[in-house]
Amino acid sequence: MSTNQTLASLLETLQARLNVVNEGLFNPEDFNPEKIDDLAALVQFIKSRSHLSLQENEAVIAELKTLRK
């Protein structure tokens, strides 16, 4: 799987788990491929939780903003 495909897959997972309406936040072209490990860590965190609190959800979205180009 290429880096772009991996990035898109990770973002799709995040979008589905966070239930964010604004799909524009998850455009793979807006993210730095060098930050893929950080993105994978976010996905791992979300997958480890059965439910995210509102604060956790907001924290993950804030972290996503820092990973954008």
Side-chain angles (χ1 to χ4, degrees):
M1 190 179 288
S2 75
T3 301
N4 289 337
Q5 289 173 324
T6 302
L7 188 59
S9 176
L10 290 170
L11 290 168
E12 286 173 16
T13 301
L14 285 170
Q15 182 179 4
R17 292 293 302 256
L18 293 173
N19 297 318
V20 175
V21 177
N22 185 357
E23 294 180 11
L25 288 173
F26 300 95
N27 184 355
E29 294 174 2
D30 294 336
F31 286 85
N32 185 347
E34 294 175 6
K35 301 287 186 171
I36 201 163
D37 291 335
D38 296 330
L39 205 51
L42 277 178
V43 169
Q44 220 29 54
F45 169 74
I46 288 176
K47 286 183 173 181
S48 72
R49 310 282 301 197
S50 61
H51 174 73
L52 289 177
S53 69
L54 180 59
Q55 292 83 6
E56 289 170 326
N57 199 0
E58 289 174 354
V60 169
I61 291 170
E63 183 64 23
L64 277 174
K65 290 178 183 177
T66 69
L67 300 177
R68 295 170 66 89
K69 290 182 184 174

